[in-house]
Amino acid sequence: MAIRFLRFIVLLIWVLLALNFVYPFPDNVTDRQALLSFKDSITADPYGVLNSWNNSIHFCRWNGVTCSLRRQRVTSLNLSSQQLAGKLSSHIGNLSFLRGVYLYDNFFHGIIPSQIGRLFRLQYLSLTNNSFQGEFPANLSHCADIRRISVFNNNLEGKLPIEFGSWTKLNLFSLGKNHFTGSIPPSVGNMSSLSTLNLNYNNLTGVIPLELAHLAKLEILFLQENTLWGTVPLPLYNISSLHSVSLISNEFEGTLPSDFGSNLPMLREYFVANNRFSGPLPPSIGTIPESVGELPNLVGLYLSDNNITGAIPTSISNITQLSVLSLETNMLQGSIPTEVFNISTLQLLNLSNNLLSGSIPEQNVGFSSQLVFLYLYRNMFTGPLPSSIGNLKQLVGLYVSNNRLTGDIPASLGDCVMLEELHMEGNLFEGRIPSSFKALQSLKIVDLSNNHISENIPRFFDELHLIEFLNLSHNRLGGEVPIKGLFSNVSRFSVTGNLRLCGGIQALQLPSCPVEILRKKKKTFPYKVILLVLIPLSILLACFAFIFYRHRKSKKINFPVPVLQENQYPRLSYKDLLLATNEFSPNNLLGEGRYGKVYQGVLEPLDHTVAVKVLDVEVRGANKSFLAECEMLRNIRHRNLIKIITACSSTDFKGNDFKALVYEFMPNGNLDNWLHQSPFCKGNEKTLTLLQRLNISIDIAMGLNYLHNHSHTSIIHCDIKPSNILLDEEFVARVGDFGLSRFSFATTLDVNQEKLSSTAVHGTVGYVPPEYGIGGKISAEGDVYSYGILLLEMFSGKKPTGSSTLLDDGNNIHNSVKNALPHRLMDIADPLMVLDQDEHGSTEIQSHNRDAMEVCLILVFEVGLLCSVATPRERIDISVAIKKLQVARDKFLHHGQ
């Protein structure tokens, strides 16, 4: 028995040793030498990612290197986004088991070595965003198993490779933004599995080869910014899988096919701007036949910069999911069909620079409630701007300049509280500037020049603090020019060409305003008596006023901040915070919001790092925000809510009001910086993993659940967005910035407005629920909507507003995700998250990871959709969202067990 026991112990030790040591295989030396040759060709490594490439550890554990578990051979080399500089070593061809090369977003230069053609197991080659030169390696055709090739944005030149026949498994081929010349070879039609072809931004010439129509699985075709010419082959419109086509900025001509819509049921985006297309828009572009709809999935139609004539067909209104309609810079005539404004999903409408005439439709303007940008400039529109324009609650940009519009500026524009740019120049508007404009607190650019606007310049303009430029030139304005706010800086406004103006700052060189002097008969004795009485009385009143002012100041200094029930720090003065933040140095600046700036500071003598939010008391609403945040944070305590340390309401050394809030410091910053390529990511942590995003999303929901259902009184946050989610050292999420929050019931503070007025829509564009934009009541359901949008953003990597959403996806983020599920799940998932999850372990592990990830993502996206539905009563409660997300996390962690 003793001998058997001894044998068992020896066997156990041998197994343990086998698990802890990597045994070398004969060819391991070749892989190691190839990697070291790769390192020797690197001339710059600012992040030190190759420091681990040394003899102290096995090369399979080097940063960016993945090996197969059984053979211990290199299968993946992922050093993307590391700012590496140098050349790509030819010894990479010796890594014979290599399946994936990911070197995108670096500074590699020189040629792509031909030895890469030896990698017959290669499946993924991503060299995007580097400076590679020379020709595309022709012998890459030997890699018959390759699935994705991306060399977008380099300096490659020469002709396109013609050896396409061997790439029968290739599904993505991206050579855009290089210097390739010549024509598109007919052999492109041999890539039978191709779904994405991107040849944008090259110097290609010639016609589109007919063979391109053989690509039956093609979904994305990008040929923009070349010099291709001729007509677009009609067979191309028979590829039923196409959902995005971009032919912008070439020399294509002829007419658009009248029936292409019926053959492209999956088409979502169609870009043919800046070509030579002519003739009328085909009426069939939007008709829906009884059997199958034509273009039922179209969300973006881009036909700008052509020579298209005729009228806009009313059948466009039948494209019920259309988000972007861009017909600018053509020769379109007639009026705007009222049916266009019936498209409820429309977010961007651009009809500018055409020959359109008639009036802007009145009765239907408000129907397109999602409209964000409306471009109608440089046409021949007449009549007034309809008052129903005020129904566009989501409108951010309105451009109606250089038309023949008449009448008064509609006061209803003041209801478009999200408006940032307003261009009405070059029309025949008259009357005064409406007082309702003072509600447009988001305005940045206002141009009302070259009209017939009269009366005085409203004083409220100097209270609109976000305005970057105000152009009131060449009108009929009169009276005194203000001197405060934006009118104190001549570079921020223009009033030239208004001959009846006076006063203003000296730089305007306007005449002084006349002063009416009432001349009365001199009554010496009474006049002197009045002076002798009034002067001492005025002095006495001034003394009382000064004493009262100092008394109020002292009360401000001793502002009772009620947030320190568990305080371990003394009350802080302005001087304390000045020293802690190195005199509010720009080097200490962490971020900036609507009400002030946030600085990193160190409280002495405790040497405790904090975040100091200094409010700009001059900004309207800042004081109320300060009081609201103090009140909100006084009694709430939760792991997923930001912890306030203290507050300071005092005066600075010049006697000015000073208000600040001091929070615990979050070393990993805010969520927005991590989702959208924050520069502070350390080492290989360039993005959040799927599991981290799951944990963070659950943390946020737990914080909201506490606010809505478990705090001393129900609290509505009103501004849930990534920049208000902070991450501690362990990536635990904390909900912050309670400056807009509201109690559900009355409090001692005046912060319980249940209904938002048109002048006080709270939140951030893109995250604000639709009911707030039309005066709806604030509610927990509103926070749930914002959370749903945030959830979709976290896992798709797409912001809900801006050009990336409107122009790339052609839809709002809710509809984009909804339309993609479940079959095109990986098209909407954040590619950085997918790469991070997909490129670890063996093929078997990768397969398991991909399956688990897809199961999880479907559940997560469904939660985001349930939270962000348009109708408040249809949204799920935040507690339900928590349970569903926890189920998704469990399925991901235990998939296949």
Side-chain angles (χ1 to χ4, degrees):
M1 292 293 296
I3 295 176
R4 289 182 179 179
F5 180 75
L6 182 61
R7 288 177 178 175
F8 173 77
I9 294 298
V10 171
L11 179 61
L12 180 63
I13 294 174
W14 184 85
V15 170
L16 292 175
L17 289 174
L19 291 174
N20 286 276
F21 292 95
V22 178
Y23 284 90
F25 284 81
D27 291 330
N28 275 0
V29 176
T30 304
D31 282 10
R32 183 176 180 278
Q33 291 299 326
L35 292 173
L36 291 176
S37 297
F38 176 91
K39 179 181 179 180
D40 291 340
S41 299
I42 301 299
T43 57
D45 179 13
Y47 293 155
V49 294
L50 301 183
N51 290 345
S52 64
W53 290 31
N54 54 54
N55 293 326
S56 62
I57 57 177
H58 192 272
F59 67 83
C60 286
R61 298 172 185 167
W62 291 353
N63 285 336
V65 177
T66 301
C67 293
S68 58
L69 293 179
R70 186 167 64 88
R71 293 177 176 271
Q72 291 297 296
R73 301 298 302 273
V74 178
T75 58
S76 176
L77 182 61
N78 188 347
L79 293 169
S80 56
S81 304
Q82 301 295 338
Q83 297 192 22
L84 297 174
K87 294 184 177 182
L88 181 56
S89 171
S90 61
H91 289 83
I92 194 172
N94 294 334
L95 299 172
S96 55
F97 280 77
L98 202 58
R99 295 190 183 95
V101 178
Y102 306 92
L103 302 178
Y104 58 87
D105 293 336
N106 282 293
F107 299 100
F108 285 98
H109 60 275
I111 64 171
I112 301 174
S114 60
Q115 287 81 358
I116 206 165
R118 300 176 185 170
L119 305 175
F120 63 92
R121 291 184 175 90
L122 191 65
Q123 296 180 6
Y124 304 97
L125 176 64
S126 181
L127 306 179
T128 294
N129 295 333
N130 281 284
S131 299
F132 285 108
Q133 301 162 322
E135 296 186 352
F136 187 88
N139 64 349
L140 197 62
S141 59
H142 299 159
C143 305
D145 204 33
I146 200 156
R147 313 293 173 86
R148 299 171 71 91
I149 299 175
S150 179
V151 292
F152 185 86
N153 194 19
N154 281 279
N155 295 316
L156 298 174
E157 56 190 6
K159 297 185 181 299
L160 295 179
I162 62 174
E163 297 83 358
F164 291 117
S166 60
W167 292 336
T168 56
K169 298 180 181 180
L170 189 68
N171 58 62
L172 181 144
F173 193 37
S174 179
L175 305 184
K177 213 168 185 180
N178 282 282
H179 307 293
F180 291 112
T181 56
S183 60
I184 302 175
S187 55
V188 69
N190 295 332
M191 294 185 289
S192 55
S193 299
L194 197 65
S195 64
T196 299
L197 177 61
N198 185 344
L199 302 178
N200 283 348
Y201 304 102
N202 280 288
N203 300 313
L204 301 174
T205 59
V207 299
I208 297 179
L210 285 172
E211 289 78 4
L212 196 63
H214 296 166
L215 302 177
K217 297 182 180 179
L218 193 63
E219 297 179 1
I220 298 174
L221 174 62
F222 287 162
L223 303 177
Q224 72 183 51
E225 294 285 350
N226 286 284
T227 317
L228 300 169
W229 49 271
T231 59
V232 179
L234 289 178
L236 187 67
Y237 295 106
N238 293 325
I239 305 177
S240 59
S241 58
L242 277 174
H243 67 73
S244 187
V245 177
S246 180
L247 309 178
I248 296 174
S249 296
N250 282 282
E251 296 183 5
F252 295 118
E253 54 191 7
T255 60
L256 297 174
S258 60
D259 60 349
F260 78 94
S262 61
N263 298 327
L264 301 177
M266 301 302 295
L267 191 65
R268 293 172 55 82
E269 297 174 317
Y270 188 59
F271 307 79
V272 295
N274 196 17
N275 279 284
R276 298 180 181 180
F277 288 111
S278 59
L281 271 175
S284 63
I285 196 170
T287 58
I288 302 180
E290 294 182 2
S291 55
V292 291
E294 297 191 30
L295 305 177
N297 295 297
L298 192 69
V299 294
L301 180 59
Y302 307 81
L303 305 176
S304 56
D305 293 282
N306 285 289
N307 296 315
I308 299 173
T309 60
I312 301 173
T314 59
S315 53
I316 282 183
S317 63
N318 293 333
I319 309 176
T320 56
Q321 298 190 50
L322 194 63
S323 177
V324 178
L325 176 59
S326 180
L327 306 178
E328 65 170 314
T329 314
N330 281 288
M331 301 177 67
L332 295 170
Q333 299 172 325
S335 59
I336 303 176
T338 57
E339 292 84 356
V340 169
F341 292 103
N342 290 336
I343 306 174
S344 60
T345 56
L346 200 61
Q347 295 184 2
L348 185 150
L349 175 61
N350 193 342
L351 305 178
S352 59
N353 205 15
N354 277 286
L355 302 175
L356 298 171
S357 57
S359 60
I360 300 173
E362 165 76 43
Q363 63 271 27
N364 290 327
V365 166
F367 286 8
S368 186
S369 58
Q370 299 299 317
L371 202 62
V372 178
F373 296 100
L374 177 59
Y375 299 86
L376 302 177
Y377 63 87
R378 291 186 183 174
N379 279 285
M380 296 182 289
F381 293 119
T382 56
L385 184 65
S387 60
S388 51
I389 195 79
N391 294 332
L392 303 178
K393 306 299 183 183
Q394 307 293 327
L395 198 63
V396 172
L398 175 62
Y399 308 81
V400 295
S401 55
N402 296 303
N403 281 286
R404 300 173 185 174
L405 300 175
T406 58
D408 293 341
I409 299 174
S412 60
L413 264 176
D415 295 333
C416 303
V417 293
M418 295 185 179
L419 201 61
E420 295 182 4
E421 292 201 21
L422 176 61
H423 289 265
M424 307 180 72
E425 68 270 20
N427 282 287
L428 302 172
F429 290 114
E430 55 190 11
R432 63 185 302 175
I433 299 173
S435 59
S436 61
F437 273 28
K438 67 174 118 180
L440 304 179
Q441 296 291 319
S442 298
L443 276 178
K444 295 180 180 179
I445 305 292
V446 181
D447 195 337
L448 305 178
S449 61
N450 292 287
N451 280 286
H452 298 159
I453 301 171
S454 56
E455 299 195 27
N456 295 339
I457 298 175
R459 297 282 175 175
F460 58 72
F461 275 123
D462 58 18
E463 299 175 2
L464 302 180
H465 300 290
L466 297 180
I467 287 187
E468 299 170 1
F469 191 75
L470 172 65
N471 192 351
L472 303 177
S473 60
H474 299 289
N475 277 288
R476 299 174 181 175
L477 297 168
E480 184 179 10
V481 178
I483 59 175
K484 295 181 180 179
L486 70 91
F487 294 102
S488 63
N489 185 346
V490 72
S491 65
R492 295 181 61 192
F493 72 99
S494 175
V495 293
T496 60
N498 291 278
L499 303 180
R500 293 185 293 165
L501 290 176
C502 63
I505 58 176
Q506 187 175 1
L508 297 177
Q509 296 182 349
L510 293 174
S512 301
C513 294
V515 180
E516 294 182 3
I517 301 176
L518 299 176
R519 296 187 177 183
K520 299 181 180 179
K521 292 183 180 180
K522 293 183 179 181
K523 296 181 180 180
T524 308
F525 178 73
Y527 180 75
K528 290 183 178 178
V529 171
I530 292 173
L531 285 178
L532 290 174
V533 173
L534 287 179
I535 290 175
L537 185 60
S538 300
I539 294 174
L540 186 61
L541 288 174
C543 291
F544 278 121
F546 179 75
I547 293 172
F548 179 73
Y549 172 78
R550 294 297 296 175
H551 178 67
R552 291 197 66 182
K553 280 290 186 182
S554 64
K555 293 183 75 176
K556 285 184 180 180
I557 293 174
N558 296 316
F559 176 81
V561 180
V563 296
L564 301 176
Q565 294 179 350
E566 301 175 3
N567 180 35
Q568 54 181 308
Y569 303 108
R571 293 188 179 274
L572 300 176
S573 65
Y574 169 77
K575 180 181 178 182
D576 296 327
L577 298 181
L578 188 71
L579 295 174
T581 58
N582 194 21
E583 299 183 357
F584 303 112
S585 167
N587 295 330
N588 289 47
L589 185 65
L590 296 175
E592 187 170 356
R594 74 179 73 188
Y595 293 133
K597 300 178 179 179
V598 180
Y599 298 88
Q600 181 176 344
V602 178
L603 294 177
E604 297 180 356
L606 300 175
D607 195 28
H608 189 85
T609 304
V610 295
V612 182
K613 178 179 179 180
V614 179
L615 278 78
D616 185 349
V617 294
E618 298 297 324
V619 175
R620 182 180 178 183
N623 285 322
K624 182 175 286 189
S625 171
F626 175 77
L627 293 174
E629 196 146 9
C630 288
E631 184 70 13
M632 293 296 167
L633 295 171
R634 178 175 61 175
N635 296 315
I636 59 175
R637 289 288 185 273
H638 192 271
R639 176 177 183 265
N640 299 121
L641 300 180
I642 191 69
K643 179 182 178 183
I644 190 170
I645 296 173
T646 187
C648 175
S649 180
S650 181
T651 57
D652 62 18
F653 293 152
K654 297 181 180 179
N656 301 317
D657 280 350
F658 175 80
K659 286 182 170 61
L661 297 160
V662 183
Y663 298 99
E664 59 178 334
F665 177 67
M666 297 285 103
N668 277 313
N670 67 55
L671 178 61
D672 187 71
N673 288 333
W674 283 91
L675 292 180
H676 304 295
Q677 293 297 307
S678 173
F680 67 77
C681 294
K682 300 178 180 179
N684 292 325
E685 295 288 342
K686 302 304 295 183
T687 186
L688 295 170
T689 65
L690 175 59
L691 184 58
Q692 285 175 318
R693 297 182 201 218
L694 278 169
N695 290 332
I696 290 170
S697 64
I698 293 172
D699 287 344
I700 301 168
M702 296 284 282
L704 283 178
N705 188 42
Y706 171 81
L707 293 175
H708 292 172
N709 303 315
H710 302 292
S711 59
H712 62 287
T713 183
S714 182
I715 296 173
I716 314 302
H717 188 279
C718 291
D719 200 17
I720 296 296
K721 59 181 179 180
S723 59
N724 285 342
I725 307 301
L726 304 172
L727 304 174
D728 69 9
E729 64 278 1
E730 297 179 353
F731 287 90
V732 175
R734 313 287 180 91
V735 180
D737 199 343
F738 289 82
L740 297 181
S741 301
R742 295 289 182 269
F743 291 115
S744 290
F745 309 102
T747 69
T748 55
L749 292 174
D750 184 21
V751 292
N752 63 323
Q753 301 174 0
E754 288 188 347
K755 189 170 183 178
L756 298 173
S757 69
S758 62
T759 61
V761 173
H762 286 58
T764 302
V765 175
Y767 305 92
V768 178
E771 65 268 20
Y772 288 10
I774 55 175
K777 294 181 180 180
I778 62 171
S779 62
E781 290 80 7
D783 276 355
V784 171
Y785 176 90
S786 303
Y787 174 75
I789 296 298
L790 170 61
L791 199 61
L792 299 180
E793 180 180 1
M794 283 180 63
F795 290 87
S796 70
K798 290 283 189 179
K799 293 187 176 183
T801 58
S803 59
S804 64
T805 299
L806 293 178
L807 300 182
D808 293 343
D809 292 337
N811 211 336
N812 63 52
I813 192 169
H814 176 96
N815 288 340
S816 293
V817 174
K818 183 178 179 180
N819 294 336
L821 291 180
H823 302 298
R824 293 190 300 105
L825 170 69
M826 303 315 293
D827 289 351
I828 57 170
D830 188 344
L832 293 177
M833 176 182 66
V834 173
L835 279 174
D836 179 83
Q837 190 68 31
D838 203 30
E839 295 306 321
H840 290 86
S842 65
T843 304
E844 293 78 14
I845 292 177
Q846 290 175 2
S847 177
H848 173 273
N849 287 346
R850 177 61 70 96
D851 291 343
M853 178 171 55
E854 291 183 359
V855 170
C856 173
L857 284 178
I858 289 177
L859 294 174
V860 172
F861 280 131
E862 287 177 349
V863 174
L865 294 175
L866 290 171
C867 290
S868 59
V869 293
T871 307
R873 64 175 178 271
E874 295 180 0
R875 298 170 195 154
I876 61 175
D877 187 78
I878 196 66
S879 60
V880 177
I882 293 173
K883 294 177 181 178
K884 288 180 175 293
L885 290 173
Q886 288 173 337
V887 169
R889 182 173 61 184
D890 291 342
K891 286 184 177 296
F892 174 70
L893 292 175
H894 305 297
H895 182 77
Q897 294 184 4

